[in-house]
Amino acid sequence: MSSQNKIAVVTGGSRGLGKDMVLSLAKNGLDIVFTYNSQKEAAEEVVKQIEELGQKGIALKFDVSDSTGFDEFTETLTSELQSQLNTDRFDFLINNAGFIHYAEFGNITEEQFTEMENVHLRGPFFLTQKLLPQINPFGGIVNVSSGLTRFATPGFAAYAALKGAMETLTKYQAQELGKRNIRANVIAPGAIETDIMGGAVRDNAEMNRYLASQTALGRVGLPGDIGGVVAFLCSDAAGWINAQRIEISGGSNL
Ligand SMILES: NC(=O)c1ccc[n+]([C@@H]2O[C@H](COP(=O)([O-])OP(=O)(O)OC[C@H]3O[C@@H](n4cnc5c(N)ncnc54)[C@H](OP(=O)(O)O)[C@@H]3O)[C@@H](O)[C@H]2O)c1
């Protein structure tokens, strides 16, 4: 018996945007495999919330920055899919996991650059390549970029350059995978209140006010602004949306 529900694999689903993506996808009737890096308890809580929505939820520990672990992750993912969802394939891959080293171009170290490169470009690039044979036709890839690729804010040169590379990669994925009926799109959130950068957007009142003042809708984003868009991109209604960068920023820095 094969699973009737579509299945999404989301990296970094334990907190922040990824958690909202996972719950929004579950509300849309998808079963979910998501990863966490360090926050096991938070991940277990998310599994419970997925189950309360009537869907299957599987949390796997995974470090997206370490490609030496990708074979083992693929094996674990496959055996969990087989044992819990009666399939070895899935429909949507959402490359979300990430963190930020905040440093201006003149100060960022090669080590900091490499750490971000591993999480934001190399990791998603080769993880997607590895998992590609398991993505069903009429499924898709959603990559996560940032509003910071469109406008320049001091302190994000390396981060934004890496996110820009993911936007370019998304176009190539859409072009090359179209023949397999796999779509690729990239979302570009504006500043959102999450734990990223020590929770600065949420907890630094001055920063929060400034970012809100630069946003047409007059506030910063919340995780709940993001997941529904990803769930839409992973639905049949979005079946003709391909190779797009979709900014979700309330109209910031226009
Ligand atoms: N928040 C924003 O303003 C904003 C704006 C634009 C784009 N983004 C992007 O959105 C994505 C999610 O950010 P967020 O704000 O939701 O961050 P967050 O609240 O800090 O959550 C980060 C998530 O990524 C996971 N993670 C971090 N490093 C990892 C690694 N090496 N391997 C695997 N998983 C890892 C974390 O797992 P644990 O919980 O286990 O640590 C967590 O699930 C990132 O790609 C970020 O660049 C964020």
Side-chain angles (χ1 to χ4, degrees):
M1 195 185 79
S2 65
S3 167
Q4 296 302 301
N5 295 333
K6 297 268 169 98
I7 300 166
V9 175
V10 182
T11 65
S14 42
R15 291 186 279 148
L17 309 188
K19 176 180 175 183
D20 193 63
M21 292 172 197
V22 161
L23 296 178
S24 299
L25 288 158
K27 279 181 202 149
N28 261 14
L30 281 79
D31 291 325
I32 313 289
V33 184
F34 71 91
T35 72
Y36 63 95
N37 188 36
S38 58
Q39 308 262 328
K40 187 166 194 281
E41 280 177 22
E44 285 167 354
E45 187 51 40
V46 174
V47 170
K48 271 196 218 145
Q49 292 183 39
I50 296 169
E51 288 169 353
E52 281 163 16
L53 291 165
Q55 301 304 127
K56 278 268 191 192
I58 301 165
L60 302 178
K61 182 169 167 50
F62 174 57
D63 182 354
V64 75
S65 70
D66 179 10
S67 60
T68 63
F70 287 9
D71 281 334
E72 191 185 334
F73 174 71
T74 305
E75 277 168 35
T76 308
L77 171 66
T78 306
S79 82
E80 290 290 326
L81 287 169
Q82 282 168 338
S83 64
Q84 303 216 39
L85 295 167
N86 301 312
T87 176
D88 55 5
R89 300 171 73 90
F90 61 95
D91 300 286
F92 297 99
L93 175 63
I94 295 96
N95 286 307
N96 164 72
F99 69 92
I100 298 174
H101 286 304
Y102 175 83
E104 291 202 9
F105 174 71
N107 298 329
I108 193 137
T109 66
E110 211 169 317
E111 191 184 3
Q112 288 173 321
F113 184 94
T114 303
E115 284 173 11
M116 282 199 288
E117 182 187 27
N118 286 339
V119 163
H120 289 295
L121 180 58
R122 187 181 296 269
F125 188 109
F126 288 105
L127 180 69
T128 305
Q129 185 190 67
K130 190 152 288 282
L131 295 181
L132 205 49
Q134 287 171 261
I135 302 181
N136 285 318
F138 303 101
I141 297 161
V142 180
N143 293 317
V144 176
S145 178
S146 165
L148 292 163
T149 60
R150 179 175 60 78
F151 49 84
T153 302
F156 297 99
Y159 172 75
L162 294 162
K163 290 296 200 186
M166 282 305 288
E167 293 185 7
T168 301
L169 174 63
T170 304
K171 251 185 260 176
Y172 276 80
Q173 289 173 329
Q175 176 65 33
E176 294 187 13
L177 306 181
K179 57 181 175 292
R180 286 186 51 201
N181 273 307
I182 291 173
R183 298 179 290 116
N185 292 292
V186 57
I187 61 161
I192 315 283
E193 292 187 6
T194 69
D195 293 339
I196 209 160
M197 288 198 312
V201 173
R202 181 190 55 220
D203 300 336
N204 181 329
E206 197 184 331
M207 182 187 290
N208 189 294
R209 261 196 306 277
Y210 174 74
L211 291 166
S213 77
Q214 300 303 303
T215 304
L217 292 179
R219 62 170 176 83
V220 301
L222 299 169
D225 294 319
I226 304 300
V229 180
V230 172
F232 165 67
L233 287 171
C234 299
S235 73
D236 290 345
W240 202 236
I241 298 181
N242 197 17
Q244 297 307 300
R245 174 190 188 272
I246 298 174
E247 189 166 311
I248 318 170
S249 71
S252 66
N253 294 278
L254 295 177

CSV table of all heavy atoms in Angstrom, one decimal, residues 10-19 21 35-39 62-65 94-102 112 115-124 127 143-146 159 162-163 166 194-199:
chain,number,residue,atom,x,y,z
A,10,VAL,N,11.3,19.0,4.9
A,10,VAL,CA,11.7,20.4,5.3
A,10,VAL,C,12.9,20.3,6.1
A,10,VAL,O,12.9,19.7,7.2
A,10,VAL,CB,10.5,21.0,6.0
A,10,VAL,CG1,10.9,22.5,6.3
A,10,VAL,CG2,9.2,21.0,5.3
A,11,THR,N,13.9,21.1,5.7
A,11,THR,CA,15.1,21.2,6.6
A,11,THR,C,14.9,22.3,7.6
A,11,THR,O,14.3,23.4,7.2
A,11,THR,CB,16.4,21.4,5.9
A,11,THR,OG1,16.4,22.7,5.2
A,11,THR,CG2,16.7,20.3,4.8
A,12,GLY,N,15.3,22.1,8.9
A,12,GLY,CA,15.2,23.1,9.9
A,12,GLY,C,13.7,23.4,10.2
A,12,GLY,O,13.3,24.6,10.2
A,13,GLY,N,13.0,22.4,10.6
A,13,GLY,CA,11.5,22.5,10.9
A,13,GLY,C,11.2,22.7,12.3
A,13,GLY,O,10.0,22.7,12.7
A,14,SER,N,12.2,22.7,13.2
A,14,SER,CA,12.0,22.7,14.6
A,14,SER,C,11.6,24.1,15.2
A,14,SER,O,11.0,24.2,16.2
A,14,SER,CB,13.3,22.3,15.3
A,14,SER,OG,14.4,22.8,14.8
A,15,ARG,N,11.9,25.2,14.4
A,15,ARG,CA,11.7,26.5,14.9
A,15,ARG,C,11.4,27.4,13.8
A,15,ARG,O,11.6,27.1,12.6
A,15,ARG,CB,13.0,27.1,15.6
A,15,ARG,CG,13.3,26.4,16.9
A,15,ARG,CD,14.4,27.1,17.6
A,15,ARG,NE,15.7,26.7,17.0
A,15,ARG,CZ,16.8,27.5,16.9
A,15,ARG,NH1,16.7,28.7,17.4
A,15,ARG,NH2,17.9,27.0,16.5
A,16,GLY,N,11.0,28.7,14.1
A,16,GLY,CA,11.0,29.8,13.1
A,16,GLY,C,10.2,29.5,11.9
A,16,GLY,O,9.1,28.9,12.0
A,17,LEU,N,10.7,29.9,10.8
A,17,LEU,CA,10.0,29.8,9.5
A,17,LEU,C,9.7,28.3,9.2
A,17,LEU,O,8.6,28.0,8.7
A,17,LEU,CB,10.8,30.4,8.4
A,17,LEU,CG,11.3,31.9,8.6
A,17,LEU,CD1,11.8,32.4,7.3
A,17,LEU,CD2,10.2,32.8,9.1
A,18,GLY,N,10.7,27.5,9.4
A,18,GLY,CA,10.5,26.1,9.1
A,18,GLY,C,9.4,25.4,9.8
A,18,GLY,O,8.6,24.6,9.2
A,19,LYS,N,9.2,25.8,11.1
A,19,LYS,CA,8.1,25.2,11.9
A,19,LYS,C,6.8,25.7,11.3
A,19,LYS,O,5.9,24.9,11.1
A,19,LYS,CB,8.3,25.7,13.3
A,19,LYS,CG,7.1,25.3,14.2
A,19,LYS,CD,7.3,25.8,15.6
A,19,LYS,CE,6.1,25.4,16.5
A,19,LYS,NZ,6.2,26.0,17.8
A,21,MET,N,6.2,26.5,8.2
A,21,MET,CA,6.1,25.8,6.9
A,21,MET,C,5.5,24.4,7.2
A,21,MET,O,4.6,23.9,6.5
A,21,MET,CB,7.4,25.6,6.2
A,21,MET,CG,8.0,27.0,5.7
A,21,MET,SD,9.7,26.7,5.1
A,21,MET,CE,10.3,28.4,5.1
A,35,THR,N,13.7,18.2,9.6
A,35,THR,CA,15.0,18.0,10.3
A,35,THR,C,15.1,19.1,11.4
A,35,THR,O,14.5,20.1,11.3
A,35,THR,CB,16.2,18.1,9.4
A,35,THR,OG1,16.4,19.4,8.9
A,35,THR,CG2,16.0,17.2,8.1
A,36,TYR,N,16.0,18.7,12.3
A,36,TYR,CA,16.4,19.7,13.3
A,36,TYR,C,17.9,19.5,13.5
A,36,TYR,O,18.4,18.4,13.0
A,36,TYR,CB,15.7,19.5,14.7
A,36,TYR,CG,16.0,18.2,15.3
A,36,TYR,CD1,17.0,18.1,16.3
A,36,TYR,CD2,15.2,17.1,14.9
A,36,TYR,CE1,17.2,16.8,16.9
A,36,TYR,CE2,15.5,15.8,15.5
A,36,TYR,CZ,16.5,15.7,16.5
A,36,TYR,OH,16.8,14.5,17.1
A,37,ASN,N,18.6,20.4,14.0
A,37,ASN,CA,20.0,20.3,14.2
A,37,ASN,C,20.4,20.1,15.7
A,37,ASN,O,21.1,19.1,16.0
A,37,ASN,CB,20.7,21.6,13.7
A,37,ASN,CG,22.2,21.4,13.7
A,37,ASN,OD1,22.7,20.3,13.4
A,37,ASN,ND2,22.9,22.5,14.0
A,38,SER,N,19.9,20.9,16.6
A,38,SER,CA,20.2,20.8,18.0
A,38,SER,C,19.0,20.7,18.9
A,38,SER,O,19.1,20.2,20.0
A,38,SER,CB,21.1,22.0,18.4
A,38,SER,OG,20.3,23.2,18.1
A,39,GLN,N,17.9,21.2,18.4
A,39,GLN,CA,16.7,21.4,19.4
A,39,GLN,C,15.7,20.2,19.3
A,39,GLN,O,14.7,20.3,18.7
A,39,GLN,CB,16.0,22.7,19.0
A,39,GLN,CG,16.9,23.9,18.9
A,39,GLN,CD,16.8,24.7,20.2
A,39,GLN,OE1,15.8,24.8,20.8
A,39,GLN,NE2,17.9,25.3,20.5
A,62,PHE,N,19.8,16.2,11.8
A,62,PHE,CA,20.5,16.4,10.5
A,62,PHE,C,21.3,17.7,10.5
A,62,PHE,O,20.7,18.7,10.8
A,62,PHE,CB,19.6,16.3,9.3
A,62,PHE,CG,20.2,16.5,8.0
A,62,PHE,CD1,21.3,15.8,7.6
A,62,PHE,CD2,19.7,17.6,7.2
A,62,PHE,CE1,21.8,16.0,6.3
A,62,PHE,CE2,20.3,17.8,5.9
A,62,PHE,CZ,21.4,17.0,5.5
A,63,ASP,N,22.6,17.6,10.2
A,63,ASP,CA,23.4,18.8,10.0
A,63,ASP,C,23.6,19.1,8.5
A,63,ASP,O,24.4,18.4,7.9
A,63,ASP,CB,24.7,18.7,10.8
A,63,ASP,CG,25.6,19.9,10.7
A,63,ASP,OD1,25.2,20.9,9.9
A,63,ASP,OD2,26.6,19.9,11.3
A,64,VAL,N,22.9,20.1,8.0
A,64,VAL,CA,22.9,20.3,6.6
A,64,VAL,C,24.3,20.9,6.1
A,64,VAL,O,24.6,20.9,5.0
A,64,VAL,CB,21.8,21.3,6.2
A,64,VAL,CG1,22.0,22.7,6.6
A,64,VAL,CG2,21.5,21.2,4.7
A,65,SER,N,25.1,21.3,7.1
A,65,SER,CA,26.4,21.9,6.8
A,65,SER,C,27.5,20.9,6.6
A,65,SER,O,28.6,21.2,6.2
A,65,SER,CB,26.8,22.9,7.8
A,65,SER,OG,27.2,22.3,9.0
A,94,ILE,N,11.9,21.3,0.8
A,94,ILE,CA,12.1,22.7,1.2
A,94,ILE,C,13.4,22.9,1.9
A,94,ILE,O,13.6,22.4,3.0
A,94,ILE,CB,10.9,23.1,2.1
A,94,ILE,CG1,9.6,23.1,1.3
A,94,ILE,CG2,11.1,24.6,2.5
A,94,ILE,CD1,8.8,21.9,1.5
A,95,ASN,N,14.3,23.6,1.3
A,95,ASN,CA,15.6,23.9,1.8
A,95,ASN,C,15.6,25.1,2.6
A,95,ASN,O,15.8,26.2,2.1
A,95,ASN,CB,16.6,24.0,0.6
A,95,ASN,CG,17.0,22.7,0.0
A,95,ASN,OD1,17.4,21.7,0.7
A,95,ASN,ND2,16.8,22.6,-1.3
A,96,ASN,N,15.3,25.0,3.9
A,96,ASN,CA,15.1,26.1,4.8
A,96,ASN,C,16.1,26.4,5.8
A,96,ASN,O,16.4,27.5,6.2
A,96,ASN,CB,13.7,25.9,5.5
A,96,ASN,CG,13.5,26.9,6.6
A,96,ASN,OD1,13.3,28.1,6.5
A,96,ASN,ND2,13.6,26.3,7.8
A,97,ALA,N,16.8,25.3,6.3
A,97,ALA,CA,17.7,25.5,7.5
A,97,ALA,C,18.7,26.5,7.3
A,97,ALA,O,19.2,26.7,6.2
A,97,ALA,CB,18.3,24.1,7.8
A,98,GLY,N,19.0,27.3,8.4
A,98,GLY,CA,20.1,28.3,8.2
A,98,GLY,C,20.3,29.1,9.4
A,98,GLY,O,19.5,29.1,10.4
A,99,PHE,N,21.4,29.9,9.4
A,99,PHE,CA,21.7,30.8,10.5
A,99,PHE,C,22.5,32.0,9.8
A,99,PHE,O,22.9,31.8,8.6
A,99,PHE,CB,22.6,30.1,11.6
A,99,PHE,CG,23.9,29.8,11.1
A,99,PHE,CD1,25.0,30.7,11.3
A,99,PHE,CD2,24.2,28.6,10.4
A,99,PHE,CE1,26.3,30.4,10.8
A,99,PHE,CE2,25.4,28.3,10.0
A,99,PHE,CZ,26.5,29.2,10.1
A,100,ILE,N,22.8,33.0,10.6
A,100,ILE,CA,23.5,34.2,10.0
A,100,ILE,C,24.7,34.6,10.9
A,100,ILE,O,24.5,34.7,12.1
A,100,ILE,CB,22.5,35.4,9.8
A,100,ILE,CG1,21.4,35.0,8.9
A,100,ILE,CG2,23.3,36.6,9.4
A,100,ILE,CD1,20.3,36.1,8.8
A,101,HIS,N,25.8,34.7,10.3
A,101,HIS,CA,26.9,35.5,10.9
A,101,HIS,C,26.7,36.9,10.4
A,101,HIS,O,26.9,37.2,9.2
A,101,HIS,CB,28.3,35.0,10.4
A,101,HIS,CG,28.7,33.7,11.1
A,101,HIS,ND1,28.7,33.5,12.4
A,101,HIS,CD2,29.1,32.6,10.5
A,101,HIS,CE1,29.1,32.3,12.7
A,101,HIS,NE2,29.3,31.7,11.5
A,102,TYR,N,26.5,37.9,11.3
A,102,TYR,CA,26.3,39.3,10.9
A,102,TYR,C,27.7,40.0,11.0
A,102,TYR,O,28.3,40.1,12.0
A,102,TYR,CB,25.4,39.9,11.9
A,102,TYR,CG,25.2,41.4,11.7
A,102,TYR,CD1,24.3,41.9,10.8
A,102,TYR,CD2,25.9,42.3,12.5
A,102,TYR,CE1,24.1,43.2,10.6
A,102,TYR,CE2,25.7,43.7,12.3
A,102,TYR,CZ,24.8,44.1,11.3
A,102,TYR,OH,24.7,45.5,11.2
A,112,GLN,N,33.9,32.2,8.9
A,112,GLN,CA,32.5,32.5,8.9
A,112,GLN,C,31.8,32.3,7.6
A,112,GLN,O,30.7,31.8,7.5
A,112,GLN,CB,32.3,34.0,9.4
A,112,GLN,CG,32.6,34.2,10.9
A,112,GLN,CD,32.6,35.7,11.2
A,112,GLN,OE1,33.0,36.5,10.5
A,112,GLN,NE2,32.0,36.0,12.4
A,115,GLU,N,31.3,28.6,6.9
A,115,GLU,CA,30.2,28.1,7.7
A,115,GLU,C,28.8,28.4,7.1
A,115,GLU,O,28.0,27.6,7.0
A,115,GLU,CB,30.3,28.6,9.2
A,115,GLU,CG,31.3,27.9,10.0
A,115,GLU,CD,31.5,28.5,11.4
A,115,GLU,OE1,30.7,29.3,11.8
A,115,GLU,OE2,32.5,28.2,12.0
A,116,MET,N,28.7,29.6,6.7
A,116,MET,CA,27.4,30.0,6.0
A,116,MET,C,27.3,29.4,4.6
A,116,MET,O,26.2,29.0,4.3
A,116,MET,CB,27.3,31.6,5.9
A,116,MET,CG,26.9,32.2,7.3
A,116,MET,SD,26.3,33.8,7.0
A,116,MET,CE,27.7,34.7,6.6
A,117,GLU,N,28.4,29.3,3.9
A,117,GLU,CA,28.3,28.7,2.6
A,117,GLU,C,27.8,27.2,2.7
A,117,GLU,O,27.0,26.8,1.9
A,117,GLU,CB,29.7,28.7,2.0
A,117,GLU,CG,29.8,28.2,0.6
A,117,GLU,CD,31.2,28.1,0.1
A,117,GLU,OE1,32.2,27.9,0.9
A,117,GLU,OE2,31.4,28.1,-1.2
A,118,ASN,N,28.3,26.5,3.7
A,118,ASN,CA,28.0,25.1,3.9
A,118,ASN,C,26.5,25.0,4.2
A,118,ASN,O,25.8,24.0,3.7
A,118,ASN,CB,28.8,24.5,5.0
A,118,ASN,CG,30.2,24.2,4.6
A,118,ASN,OD1,30.5,24.2,3.4
A,118,ASN,ND2,31.1,24.1,5.6
A,119,VAL,N,25.9,25.9,4.9
A,119,VAL,CA,24.5,25.8,5.3
A,119,VAL,C,23.6,26.3,4.2
A,119,VAL,O,22.5,25.8,3.9
A,119,VAL,CB,24.2,26.5,6.6
A,119,VAL,CG1,22.7,26.8,6.8
A,119,VAL,CG2,24.7,25.7,7.8
A,120,HIS,N,24.0,27.4,3.5
A,120,HIS,CA,23.1,28.1,2.7
A,120,HIS,C,23.3,27.8,1.2
A,120,HIS,O,22.4,28.1,0.4
A,120,HIS,CB,23.2,29.7,2.8
A,120,HIS,CG,22.7,30.1,4.1
A,120,HIS,ND1,21.4,30.1,4.5
A,120,HIS,CD2,23.3,30.7,5.2
A,120,HIS,CE1,21.2,30.6,5.7
A,120,HIS,NE2,22.3,30.9,6.2
A,121,LEU,N,24.4,27.2,0.8
A,121,LEU,CA,24.6,26.9,-0.6
A,121,LEU,C,25.1,25.5,-0.9
A,121,LEU,O,24.4,24.7,-1.5
A,121,LEU,CB,25.6,27.9,-1.2
A,121,LEU,CG,25.9,27.8,-2.7
A,121,LEU,CD1,24.6,27.8,-3.6
A,121,LEU,CD2,26.9,28.8,-3.2
A,122,ARG,N,26.2,25.2,-0.4
A,122,ARG,CA,26.8,23.8,-0.6
A,122,ARG,C,25.8,22.7,-0.1
A,122,ARG,O,25.6,21.7,-0.8
A,122,ARG,CB,28.1,23.7,0.1
A,122,ARG,CG,28.9,22.4,-0.3
A,122,ARG,CD,30.2,22.4,0.5
A,122,ARG,NE,31.1,23.6,0.1
A,122,ARG,CZ,32.0,23.5,-0.9
A,122,ARG,NH1,32.2,22.3,-1.5
A,122,ARG,NH2,32.7,24.5,-1.3
A,123,GLY,N,25.3,22.9,1.1
A,123,GLY,CA,24.4,21.9,1.7
A,123,GLY,C,23.2,21.7,0.9
A,123,GLY,O,22.9,20.6,0.4
A,124,PRO,N,22.4,22.8,0.7
A,124,PRO,CA,21.2,22.6,-0.1
A,124,PRO,C,21.5,22.1,-1.5
A,124,PRO,O,20.7,21.3,-2.1
A,124,PRO,CB,20.5,24.0,-0.1
A,124,PRO,CG,21.2,24.8,0.9
A,124,PRO,CD,22.5,24.1,1.3
A,127,LEU,N,22.5,18.3,-1.1
A,127,LEU,CA,21.4,17.5,-0.5
A,127,LEU,C,20.3,17.3,-1.6
A,127,LEU,O,19.8,16.2,-1.8
A,127,LEU,CB,20.8,18.2,0.7
A,127,LEU,CG,19.7,17.4,1.4
A,127,LEU,CD1,20.2,16.2,2.0
A,127,LEU,CD2,19.0,18.3,2.4
A,143,ASN,N,13.3,26.7,-2.4
A,143,ASN,CA,14.5,27.1,-1.7
A,143,ASN,C,14.1,28.4,-1.0
A,143,ASN,O,13.2,29.1,-1.3
A,143,ASN,CB,15.6,27.4,-2.8
A,143,ASN,CG,16.1,26.1,-3.4
A,143,ASN,OD1,16.3,25.1,-2.7
A,143,ASN,ND2,16.3,26.1,-4.7
A,144,VAL,N,15.0,28.7,0.0
A,144,VAL,CA,14.7,29.9,0.9
A,144,VAL,C,15.8,30.9,0.7
A,144,VAL,O,17.0,30.6,1.1
A,144,VAL,CB,14.5,29.5,2.3
A,144,VAL,CG1,14.3,30.7,3.2
A,144,VAL,CG2,13.3,28.5,2.5
A,145,SER,N,15.5,32.1,0.1
A,145,SER,CA,16.5,33.1,0.0
A,145,SER,C,16.1,34.2,1.0
A,145,SER,O,15.7,33.9,2.1
A,145,SER,CB,16.4,33.7,-1.4
A,145,SER,OG,17.3,34.7,-1.6
A,146,SER,N,16.3,35.5,0.6
A,146,SER,CA,16.0,36.6,1.5
A,146,SER,C,15.8,37.9,0.7
A,146,SER,O,16.3,38.0,-0.4
A,146,SER,CB,17.3,36.8,2.4
A,146,SER,OG,17.2,38.0,3.1
A,159,TYR,N,26.1,36.6,3.5
A,159,TYR,CA,24.8,35.9,3.6
A,159,TYR,C,24.0,36.1,2.3
A,159,TYR,O,23.5,35.2,1.7
A,159,TYR,CB,24.1,36.4,4.8
A,159,TYR,CG,22.7,35.9,5.0
A,159,TYR,CD1,22.4,34.6,5.4
A,159,TYR,CD2,21.6,36.8,4.8
A,159,TYR,CE1,21.0,34.3,5.5
A,159,TYR,CE2,20.3,36.5,4.9
A,159,TYR,CZ,20.0,35.2,5.3
A,159,TYR,OH,18.7,34.8,5.5
A,162,LEU,N,25.3,34.5,-0.8
A,162,LEU,CA,25.0,33.0,-0.9
A,162,LEU,C,23.6,32.8,-1.2
A,162,LEU,O,23.2,31.9,-2.0
A,162,LEU,CB,25.4,32.4,0.5
A,162,LEU,CG,26.9,32.4,0.7
A,162,LEU,CD1,27.2,32.2,2.2
A,162,LEU,CD2,27.6,31.4,-0.1
A,163,LYS,N,22.7,33.6,-0.7
A,163,LYS,CA,21.3,33.5,-1.0
A,163,LYS,C,21.0,33.8,-2.5
A,163,LYS,O,20.2,33.2,-3.1
A,163,LYS,CB,20.4,34.4,-0.1
A,163,LYS,CG,20.4,34.0,1.4
A,163,LYS,CD,19.7,32.7,1.6
A,163,LYS,CE,19.2,32.5,3.0
A,163,LYS,NZ,18.6,31.1,3.2
A,166,MET,N,21.6,30.9,-4.5
A,166,MET,CA,20.5,29.9,-4.4
A,166,MET,C,19.4,30.4,-5.4
A,166,MET,O,18.7,29.5,-6.0
A,166,MET,CB,19.9,29.8,-3.0
A,166,MET,CG,20.7,29.0,-2.1
A,166,MET,SD,21.0,27.3,-2.7
A,166,MET,CE,19.4,26.5,-2.5
A,194,THR,N,12.1,35.8,14.4
A,194,THR,CA,12.4,34.4,14.8
A,194,THR,C,13.7,34.4,15.7
A,194,THR,O,14.2,35.5,16.1
A,194,THR,CB,12.8,33.5,13.6
A,194,THR,OG1,14.0,34.0,13.0
A,194,THR,CG2,11.7,33.5,12.5
A,195,ASP,N,14.2,33.3,16.0
A,195,ASP,CA,15.4,33.2,16.8
A,195,ASP,C,16.7,33.6,16.1
A,195,ASP,O,17.8,33.7,16.7
A,195,ASP,CB,15.6,31.8,17.4
A,195,ASP,CG,14.5,31.3,18.3
A,195,ASP,OD1,13.9,32.2,18.9
A,195,ASP,OD2,14.3,30.1,18.5
A,196,ILE,N,16.6,33.7,14.8
A,196,ILE,CA,17.8,33.9,14.0
A,196,ILE,C,18.6,35.2,14.5
A,196,ILE,O,17.9,36.2,14.9
A,196,ILE,CB,17.5,34.0,12.5
A,196,ILE,CG1,18.7,33.5,11.6
A,196,ILE,CG2,17.0,35.3,12.0
A,196,ILE,CD1,18.4,33.0,10.2
A,197,MET,N,19.9,35.2,14.4
A,197,MET,CA,20.7,36.3,14.9
A,197,MET,C,20.4,36.7,16.3
A,197,MET,O,20.2,37.9,16.7
A,197,MET,CB,20.5,37.6,14.0
A,197,MET,CG,21.2,37.4,12.6
A,197,MET,SD,21.4,39.1,11.9
A,197,MET,CE,19.9,39.8,12.1
A,198,GLY,N,20.2,35.7,17.1
A,198,GLY,CA,19.9,35.9,18.6
A,198,GLY,C,18.6,36.5,18.8
A,198,GLY,O,18.3,37.1,19.8
A,199,GLY,N,17.7,36.4,17.8
A,199,GLY,CA,16.3,36.9,18.0
A,199,GLY,C,16.3,38.4,17.8
A,199,GLY,O,15.3,39.1,18.2
